[in-house]
DNA sequence: GTAGGGTTAG
């Protein structure tokens, strides 16, 4: 080997190993890419681009970047590739999930009459995982033909290939025939069961593995922890944690990811954060696990804080980070934050990513701007069914029923077929706009599209019929359901009964809810309010007693409003705000103007055990009113107020805010637990349906 | 040079 080729070889090795570092900044990545270009030029200039040994190294270096085309170009320069070079290029295609690529190269290899070795099969079988079972079986045959029928490496790959096809029974047959099972064989079958939604079987196999005295390594434990996460068995999950510690693997970066994910998925975000913080340099997946853990469990602001930290530290983010951050933005509900996220993304490489844009549409809709949601929707070139559905759902949340249906028709004209999510959006739109006939018809069109309704669709219909006052029809509909009605379905009936003061059916719904979901405070409050609206005070007292016996307290309402980038949260009668004096003065002024305008609150629907003055006091101090008053005193006249409330809008506040919107001449947008209300000129966009 | 795992919109 000449001195030049030796130095190039060293250079390529260092380049590849440097690239495998887990967390690199985008700046570092671009520098290294330039480096790769320079090396290739040197290879060509020195005529060494035909040297198989160096080309393998170069191909590997390219593949670290995912630059398969570059690798392929280098490969083609070699006139008679040997097995290692074929393997390198097949491996590269397989790693990058290029559909058909590895298989095509494998075929080319056979045409060139180069015999595959066991390495070849590892890569080809990995690539088969995403294609057809028939092809997989064919390659399975080849492994025997070329003498690898009992090679444990090749057989392990077969186990995971069959698992990826969803054929766990075939995977199990291969696994059962294996004589010398390694920890990898066990992990392959365990993760196969996890991937195919059978965590119980996975855990059974793990127990067997332990009985066979096979010591689990960190990858095995990662699979097992996923299984525990899926069976929702936290007690057992903790014992795995114990095993991890015993084996001294608790600082293994990928184990930390699994622990973080396992605890975050349970909502134990503080525990998850403990593991995250223990890592000096968390990798991208760990950042993502923590951010999405926060976002999914209602800790939107924490998620955003972490996302901003990543950016300020110049850590590379990917589309999953973006989606998790956007999900968090949707939860926080601040339009200011939403536009910041959108602005950040429009300057990033993910600006055309359909998944990211779908999340943006959803976020804008949930942050109260259906207009901006539509702007994002319109700028996406290739709209898939999920994007259309997100936009339809956005209109639904805002009660723009007709607009949702119009968009649905447009979607069909564009040749996109609806899926179950599309119908959830449509039915939500109909129920939020009181479009009973349209919703009913759409529901019955679902089978024409080959879609079977599930719980959410059924509960939309119950809601749709119930709110319109067709309570008996809603009940008959529930009785005729082909699947067992669940919490959402009975919950929809109960809240409709509350609106229409239908005690008999309401009690039936509540009974079911107390069985299915006994610790949800909301159901008890609904039933109590239903009794109060019918003046059945003894019944109200009984429900309250049931709640006390079960140790349940009424959920406290709170509302947030963002002013100049700072999010302020108010509770009932909250006097902790620094500008509290001004806020209550404004509330007083509003109260007087409301009375002058003829506003009288409904007393029946609130807690019965308060006296008249207390009721009125509580009503005026509800969290949404405090947020409105604060918005009025701290923004310029005419500014739109955007408020988020954790519970459903209260009937009295709803009617009061309608009038307030006219009195102060402002648009007030409130996102409650279920939908949006746009108050303007004395009316609300929900048309009093909610 | 060997395989197995983890984050994932509606």
């Amino acid at each position: 080997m000449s001195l030049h080729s030796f130095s190039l070889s060293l250079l390529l090795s260092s380049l590849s190993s440097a690239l495998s570092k887990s967390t690199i900044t985008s700046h570092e990545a671009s520098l290294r890419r330039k480096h790769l270009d320079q090396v290739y030029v040197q290879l060509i200039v020195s005529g060494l681009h035909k040297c198989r040994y160096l080309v393998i190294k170069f191909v590997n270096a390219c593949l670290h970047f995912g630059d398969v085309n570059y690798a392929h170009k280098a490969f083609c320069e070699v006139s008679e590739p040997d097995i290692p070079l074929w393997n390198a290029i097949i491996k590269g295609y397989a790693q990058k999930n290029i559909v058909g690529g590895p298989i095509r190269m494998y075929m080319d290899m056979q045409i060139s009459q180069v015999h595959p070795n066991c390495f070849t099969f590892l890569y080809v079988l990995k690539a088969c995982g995403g294609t057809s079972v028939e092809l997989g079986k064919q390659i399975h045959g080849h492994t025997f033909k070329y003498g690898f029928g009992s090679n444990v490496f090749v057989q392990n790959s077969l186990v995971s290939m069959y698992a990826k096809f969803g054929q766990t029974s075939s995977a199990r047959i291969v696994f059962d025939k294996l004589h010398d099972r390694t920890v990898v064989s066990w992990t392959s079958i365990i993760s196969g069961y996890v991937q195919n939604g059978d965590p119980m079987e996975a855990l059974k196999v793990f127990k067997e593995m332990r009985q066979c005295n096979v010591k689990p390594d960190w990858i095995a434990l990662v699979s097992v922890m996923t299984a525990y996460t899926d069976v929702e068995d936290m007690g057992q999950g903790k014992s795995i944690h114990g095993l991890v510690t015993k084996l001294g693997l608790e600082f293994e970066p990928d184990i930390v990811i699994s622990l973080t994910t396992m605890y975050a998925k349970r909502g134990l975000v503080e525990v998850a954060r403990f593991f995250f913080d223990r890592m000096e340099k968390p990798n991208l997946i760990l950042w993502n696990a923590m951010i999405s853990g926060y976002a999914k469990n209602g800790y939107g602001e924490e998620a955003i804080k972490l996302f901003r930290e990543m950016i300020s530290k110049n850590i590379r983010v990917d589309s999953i980070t973006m989606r998790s951050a956007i999900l968090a933005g949707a939860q926080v509900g601040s339009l200011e934050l939403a536009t910041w996220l959108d602005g950040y993304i429009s300057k990033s490489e993910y600006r055309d990513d359909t998944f990211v844009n779908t999340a943006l549409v959803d976020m804008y809709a949930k942050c109260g701007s259906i207009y901006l949601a539509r702007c994002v929707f319109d700028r996406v070139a290739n709209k898939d069914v999920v994007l259309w559905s997100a936009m339809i759902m956005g209109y639904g949340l805002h009660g723009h029923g007709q607009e949702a249906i119009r968009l649905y028709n447009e979607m069909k004209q564009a040749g996109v077929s609806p899926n179950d999510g599309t119908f959830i959006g449509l039915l939500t739109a109909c129920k939020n706009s009181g479009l009973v006939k349209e919703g009913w018809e759409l529901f019955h069109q679902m089978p024409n599209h080959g879609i079977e309704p599930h719980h959410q669709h059924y509960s939309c219909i119950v809601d749709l019929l119930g709110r319109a006052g067709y309570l008996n029809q809603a009940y008959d509909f529930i009785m005729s359901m082909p699947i067992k009605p669940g919490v959402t379905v009975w919950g929809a009936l109960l809240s409709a009964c509350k609106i229409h003061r239908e005690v008999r059916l309401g009690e039936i719904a509540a009974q079911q809810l107390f069985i299915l979901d006994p610790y949800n405070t909301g159901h008890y409050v609904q039933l109590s309010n239903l009794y109060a609206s019918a003046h059945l005070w003894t019944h109200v007292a009984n429900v309250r007693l049931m709640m006390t016996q079960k140790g349940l307290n009424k959920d406290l309402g709170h509302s947030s409003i963002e002013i100049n980038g700072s999010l302020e949260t108010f509770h009932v009668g909250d006097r902790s705000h620094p500008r509290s004096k001004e806020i209550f003065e404004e509330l007083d002024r509003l109260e007087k103007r409301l009375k002058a305008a003829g506003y009288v609150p409904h007393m029946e629907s609130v807690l019965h055990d308060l006296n008249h003055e207390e009721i009125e006091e509580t009503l005026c101090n509800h969290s949404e009113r405090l947020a409105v008053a604060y918005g009025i005193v701290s923004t310029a006249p005419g500014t739109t107020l955007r408020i988020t409330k954790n519970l459903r809008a209260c009937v009295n506040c709803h009617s009061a805010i309608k009038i307030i919107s006219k009195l102060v001449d402002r648009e007030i947008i409130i996102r409650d637990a279920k939908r949006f209300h746009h108050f303007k000129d004395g009316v609300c966009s929900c048309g009093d349906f909610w």
Side-chain angles (χ1 to χ4, degrees), chain A residues 52 150 471 520 525 628 683:
Chain A
R52 285 189 286 238
S150 55
L471 292 167
N520 189 324
V525 174
V628 168
V683 288

Side-chain angles (χ1 to χ4, degrees), chain A residues 380-637:
Chain A
V380 179
N382 298 312
K383 297 179 176 63
D384 71 354
V385 61
V386 188
L387 180 69
W388 285 97
S389 306
M391 193 64 228
I392 290 170
M393 183 55 129
Y395 283 127
L397 285 175
H398 287 263
H400 299 287
Q402 297 292 2
E403 200 59 47
I405 295 172
R406 210 173 355 230
L407 198 66
Y408 169 60
N409 290 326
E410 247 181 75
M411 178 186 107
K412 284 194 293 185
Q413 270 172 6
V416 177
S417 309
N419 67 8
D420 61 334
T422 320
F423 279 94
I424 292 172
L426 281 167
L427 297 177
T428 303
C430 292
K431 80 182 172 81
N432 282 346
S433 315
L435 300 174
V436 183
K437 191 171 146 273
E438 290 83 345
W440 186 252
E441 277 171 14
L442 283 163
F443 176 77
H444 286 96
Q445 280 172 23
M446 289 178 66
N448 304 344
H449 299 280
I451 305 162
E452 225 167 276
H454 58 245
H455 280 105
Q456 268 180 289
H457 302 101
Y458 287 110
S459 73
C460 281
I461 293 297
V462 172
D463 209 305
L464 182 79
L465 294 169
R467 276 199 265 185
Y470 300 111
L471 292 167
N472 289 319
Q473 287 86 337
Y475 181 70
D476 292 343
F477 177 79
I478 295 176
M479 288 297 118
S480 70
M481 278 172 57
I483 53 173
K484 194 172 174 280
V487 175
T488 50
V489 170
W490 289 115
L493 183 65
L494 177 57
S495 70
C497 288
K498 152 83 201 11
I499 298 171
H500 298 285
R501 302 179 190 186
E502 166 56 54
V503 175
R504 191 183 60 88
L505 286 177
E507 282 175 333
I508 294 175
Q511 261 170 12
Q512 293 297 325
L513 287 165
F514 295 159
I515 296 168
L516 295 168
D517 194 15
Y519 295 104
N520 189 324
T521 316
H523 309 317
Y524 296 88
V525 174
Q526 282 275 32
L527 181 64
S528 159
N529 288 342
L530 166 61
Y531 283 140
S533 70
H535 302 269
L536 296 165
W537 305 117
T538 335
H539 289 67
V540 173
N542 285 338
V543 178
R544 297 279 157 186
L545 191 66
M546 264 168 81
M547 288 180 71
T548 322
Q549 282 166 349
K550 287 189 194 270
L552 301 171
N553 292 315
K554 193 171 184 285
D555 279 344
L556 285 181
H558 58 80
S559 300
S560 313
I561 181 167
E562 190 178 63
I563 307 283
N564 299 327
S566 140
L567 198 69
E568 307 282 348
T569 304
F570 297 91
H571 294 89
V572 186
D574 198 336
R575 287 182 188 267
S576 62
H577 197 272
R579 295 179 65 185
S580 182
K581 195 166 164 278
E582 284 171 78
I583 295 170
F584 278 87
E585 281 167 5
E586 180 59 33
L587 275 177
D588 267 352
R589 265 198 300 279
L590 286 172
E591 206 52 39
K592 288 194 185 93
R593 294 174 72 185
L594 277 169
K595 276 203 179 125
Y599 166 77
V600 189
H602 296 270
M603 294 305 168
E604 295 155 351
S605 53
V606 287
L607 291 175
H608 75 291
D609 48 5
L610 298 175
N611 65 39
H612 188 85
E613 271 160 32
E614 281 173 328
I615 290 174
E616 212 161 322
E617 166 98 336
T618 310
L619 289 175
C620 309
N621 293 345
H622 263 172
S623 63
E624 54 266 57
R625 296 243 208 145
L626 293 174
V628 168
Y630 176 60
I632 292 173
V633 297
S634 48
T635 56

Side-chain angles (χ1 to χ4, degrees), chain A residues 208-229:
Chain A
E208 231 179 284
M209 169 181 156
R210 299 282 288 153
Q211 280 161 354
C212 294
N213 279 325
V214 179
K215 191 178 155 194
D217 63 2
W218 59 271
I219 300 184
L221 290 172
V222 164
S223 301
V224 174
M225 274 195 266
T226 318
Y228 277 120
T229 309

Side-chain angles (χ1 to χ4, degrees), chain A residues 140 155 158-159 162 169-178:
Chain A
H140 189 170
Q155 296 304 306
L158 278 166
V159 171
Y162 280 118
S169 49
S170 303
R172 188 58 183 256
I173 291 169
V174 179
F175 175 79
D176 284 342
K177 279 189 190 151
L178 264 170

